[in-house]
Amino acid sequence: MADKHTSGDGLNDLCALLMDRNVCTATKASEEPQDKNLWPRAVARKWMPVLFMGACLVYCARMTMPICAVAMAASFNWNKIDTGVVLGGFFWGYSCTAILGGHASDKIGGERVLLFSATSWAVVTAATPALAHLGSHTLALMTMARVLMGVLQGVFFPSLASLIAQRAPKGQKSFLSSIMQSGTSLGILLAGLLDSIMLDWYSWENAFYAVGFLSGLWALVVWQYLLKGKVYPGQKERRNNFQSKTFSCTHLLSLLRKPCIWSMVFAHMCTCGTSYTLLSWMPTYFSEQYPHVRTWVYNVIPWTAAIPAALCGGYISDSLISQGYSVVFVRKSMQFIAMGVSAAFVMLLSAKMSPPIAVICISAVMVSLSFTSCGSSVNVQDLTPSSAGTLYGFMNMLGAFMGVLMVSLSGYLIEVTDSWVPCFWLVAAVHVVGLTVFLCFGDARRVDLEESNSVALS
């Protein structure tokens, strides 16, 4: 608890420092009207560490099953295809609620949606061992548990996107997005460390109990100290009629006809699919290829490196924009690092190498991928800030479908070919295609106002 308190204070100071820097360097801040919907600095200092830990715990809970998959497969006699079905079940549920969560956050405020999500997934995580031993149909029960976990976590990141779009000043969005990205890396790190200890010293069941308890504790803190007795607004009351209407399918389709929108969606979809594939299968890869390496090595080191990389990426992005570099140049540069550089290191993993080199390669992949928080992931707030939560939910839904496809396909390829090479080449190919599309058609100019005017005229 002392460590968490210290890291939270450091994050508070870092957020405050960045806010002061942006106030001094922003060239148009004094020209723009003050937005009453934005967080005051005192409120932001409270929420940023809390959201950081929320992003940490959502991935900690998500990664518990993949890390424990080897032990569970041994206990329940699963093969690679069975394991792929269970792990892929998460993304089926995840895709069902992404748009709903984003839309609800755009309408009523993301704070409430986040609290509901965290409370629910904490219960499901803690109850997973009991479900596994409930009867003889363990494979079906665990798949259902993963689907339900996906349903409950599907609303989380669209809610974060909506919160940042509505509450964060323009010059801080990249950094705040990178804070959330670094939180996810810390979550994977925490899951790797905590679950490895539980697997080595106790049992896989205790890993679920521990993560469920921490998630429930986070939800209790949010309710008790940030939400109880307080009123947070939903969408801005002064928005025009178009922006206050329900985000319709017609509006979504009209946005997707724009090359900058669908290229962003496609790049995000590709990044999600490959990230989920690596997150799901890397523990099994190292367990089989390097059985003598301690589990904490490959479950901890890559994410330790990714945390400062994500924060640096966000700080550099905001600094470049404040110095006069175009937003689209910064977004595309960050996405090139995220997808282009990571593809090169993924292909290296297909060759035979020593355990230290393999850990270095997967660490380089995760460090590179962390820069997507300053690329396609935050691009939605540049293009459509009025409906960022809903559109981000749509992006996450497609990313979840891509995760289902790639996680299951990878498991099939690994089982049939008895090799990890097809899995790595699949990831690299998807990265190259997604990056090419984003570099050719990506943009950062706001387009939702154009849609508002066209609808008003019609």
Side-chain angles (χ1 to χ4, degrees):
M1 293 300 292
D3 292 341
K4 289 185 179 181
H5 179 71
T6 303
S7 62
D9 289 343
L11 188 58
N12 285 337
D13 296 338
L14 186 58
C15 292
L17 178 62
L18 184 74
M19 290 175 186
D20 293 337
R21 177 182 67 83
N22 283 325
V23 169
C24 296
T25 60
T27 58
K28 297 184 180 180
S30 60
E31 302 174 6
E32 296 178 354
Q34 183 68 24
D35 189 348
K36 296 180 180 180
N37 220 38
L38 298 180
W39 276 322
R41 272 195 299 176
V43 176
R45 288 177 181 179
K46 295 179 180 179
W47 270 103
M48 288 303 101
V50 170
L51 294 180
F52 173 82
M53 289 307 302
C56 167
L57 289 170
V58 73
Y59 259 77
C60 188
R62 184 182 303 184
M63 282 301 298
T64 299
M65 180 75 79
I67 292 174
C68 296
V70 175
M72 296 178 71
S75 299
F76 302 118
N77 298 317
W78 295 344
N79 57 31
K80 294 291 190 306
I81 297 176
D82 294 334
T83 303
V85 169
V86 173
L87 297 179
F90 173 87
F91 306 108
W92 287 110
Y94 195 81
S95 62
C96 294
T97 54
I99 296 179
L100 177 62
H103 178 66
S105 300
D106 286 340
K107 300 299 289 185
I108 67 174
E111 299 90 350
R112 302 173 181 86
V113 180
L114 292 177
L115 178 63
F116 169 78
S117 174
T119 304
S120 303
W121 93 60
V123 173
V124 172
T125 302
T128 297
L131 288 174
H133 298 291
L134 189 61
S136 59
H137 303 288
T138 305
L139 182 64
L141 289 172
M142 288 298 93
T143 303
M144 290 175 58
R146 288 295 285 176
V147 171
L148 182 58
M149 176 70 76
V151 167
L152 298 172
Q153 289 198 352
V155 305
F156 191 88
F157 286 103
S159 299
L160 282 183
S162 179
L163 272 179
I164 294 174
Q166 294 178 28
R167 310 284 194 252
K170 184 177 180 180
Q172 301 173 14
K173 292 182 179 180
S174 294
F175 182 75
L176 295 180
S177 296
S178 69
I179 287 179
M180 301 305 107
Q181 177 68 32
S182 63
T184 64
S185 298
L186 179 61
I188 300 169
L189 169 63
L190 179 61
L193 182 61
L194 181 62
D195 295 346
S196 296
I197 292 175
M198 293 296 174
L199 289 171
D200 289 343
W201 293 355
Y202 301 102
S203 65
W204 63 265
E205 290 91 346
N206 287 279
F208 286 92
Y209 297 144
V211 174
F213 171 77
L214 292 175
S215 300
L217 182 62
W218 181 85
L220 180 62
V221 169
V222 170
W223 166 250
Q224 189 68 31
Y225 295 103
L226 292 174
L227 291 183
K228 187 177 181 180
K230 296 182 175 63
V231 177
Y232 287 94
Q235 284 285 55
K236 303 173 186 177
E237 295 180 359
R238 66 175 181 271
R239 284 185 175 172
N240 57 40
N241 292 334
F242 168 78
Q243 290 174 320
S244 63
K245 289 179 180 179
T246 301
F247 190 86
S248 65
C249 292
T250 303
H251 177 52
L252 179 59
L253 292 175
S254 65
L255 286 175
L256 290 175
R257 284 197 293 266
K258 297 181 179 295
C260 60
I261 294 291
W262 62 256
S263 63
M264 171 193 66
V265 172
F266 184 74
H268 183 80
M269 180 181 70
C270 292
T271 305
C272 287
T274 55
S275 298
Y276 294 152
T277 302
L278 293 172
L279 289 174
S280 297
W281 286 112
M282 280 305 95
T284 304
Y285 165 74
F286 276 96
S287 177
E288 291 187 351
Q289 299 298 310
Y290 308 102
H292 301 296
V293 177
R294 297 299 296 268
T295 57
W296 68 266
V297 174
Y298 52 81
N299 284 330
V300 171
I301 293 178
W303 319 114
T304 303
I307 294 172
L311 293 173
C312 289
Y315 185 84
I316 291 171
S317 295
D318 284 339
S319 297
L320 290 174
I321 293 172
S322 67
Q323 293 171 16
Y325 289 89
S326 67
V327 177
V328 65
F329 169 78
V330 174
R331 300 294 182 240
K332 290 184 177 181
S333 299
M334 296 298 107
Q335 197 65 22
F336 176 82
I337 296 175
M339 302 186 80
V341 176
S342 64
F345 282 101
V346 166
M347 287 189 290
L348 290 177
L349 284 170
S350 62
K352 291 184 179 181
M353 58 185 67
S354 63
I357 300 300
V359 173
I360 291 174
C361 285
I362 193 61
S363 299
V365 170
M366 295 303 138
V367 166
S368 302
L369 278 174
S370 68
F371 282 78
T372 194
S373 63
C374 315
S376 63
S377 294
V378 75
N379 193 213
V380 65
Q381 299 166 25
D382 303 319
L383 299 175
T384 61
S386 64
S387 305
T390 308
L391 186 56
Y392 193 84
F394 176 75
M395 293 163 59
N396 264 12
M397 180 191 72
L398 294 183
F401 280 130
M402 192 70 165
V404 172
L405 176 63
M406 291 193 63
V407 171
S408 300
L409 179 59
S410 298
Y412 176 79
L413 292 174
I414 296 167
E415 181 72 19
V416 172
T417 64
D418 196 26
S419 172
W420 289 88
V421 173
C423 174
F424 293 132
W425 279 94
L426 174 64
V427 170
V430 171
H431 271 188
V432 171
V433 173
L435 175 62
T436 302
V437 170
F438 188 74
L439 292 180
C440 291
F441 300 103
D443 203 344
R445 292 172 294 181
R446 186 170 181 176
V447 298
D448 56 345
L449 294 181
E450 300 173 10
E451 292 302 315
S452 175
N453 293 334
S454 65
V455 171
L457 291 174
S458 63

